[in-house]
Amino acid sequence: QVQLVESGGGLVQSGGSLRLSCAASGFTFSNYDMSWYRQAPGKERELVAVITSPGGSTNYADSVKDRFTISRDNAKNTVYLQMSNMKPDDTAVYYCSAVIGATWSIARRSYWGQGTQVTVSS
């Protein structure tokens, strides 16, 4: 069974830093792109960052570019999100996600972690 277990959320002041971790199991981690999403109350879920399989390319939302860094350790089946110079608008529940299955397959689906709360004080 696919599992994504997140950790590292918490309370941080504006300008501070946090590192989120997502431990993956139940699939061949290195074969799949990994993503971080976030969702604030009353807002749509937002794609924050993507790292490709096996880890050669990254992409970021404009709102976090140059502040957040996504990385992965395929030997540890773990993806990270290093967040620096954090702002109150970064406050959200952060989710780790993997899309598993071929693009053409009807079995293709997204898997999500349970989410970890990040709160940035003004």
Side-chain angles (χ1 to χ4, degrees):
Q1 187 175 55
V2 172
Q3 285 190 293
L4 301 170
V5 181
E6 302 161 3
S7 61
L11 176 65
V12 65
Q13 64 183 356
S14 181
S17 299
L18 284 174
R19 189 182 76 159
L20 306 182
S21 299
C22 173
S25 61
F27 64 102
T28 305
F29 176 79
S30 61
N31 287 354
Y32 296 94
D33 298 351
M34 298 296 297
S35 301
W36 286 96
Y37 287 75
R38 66 186 183 187
Q39 187 167 28
K43 295 185 178 180
E44 296 181 350
R45 188 171 296 184
E46 174 189 20
L47 177 63
V48 175
V50 179
I51 185 164
T52 60
S53 170
S57 182
T58 59
N59 198 20
Y60 301 91
D62 288 342
S63 59
V64 307
K65 189 173 295 184
D66 300 324
R67 299 189 298 116
F68 291 10
T69 301
I70 188 171
S71 62
R72 65 194 296 163
D73 187 336
N74 291 329
K76 296 180 179 179
N77 290 351
T78 302
V79 62
Y80 305 94
L81 185 68
Q82 178 67 51
M83 304 182 291
S84 300
N85 191 24
M86 298 185 71
K87 304 175 180 180
D89 284 349
D90 296 324
T91 296
V93 178
Y94 283 71
Y95 299 91
C96 175
S97 180
V99 178
I100 299 175
T103 302
W104 53 264
S105 175
I106 61 172
R108 185 173 185 266
R109 62 160 291 179
S110 296
Y111 291 86
W112 302 89
Q114 80 285 355
T116 184
Q117 177 70 51
V118 172
T119 302
V120 184
S121 62
S122 300

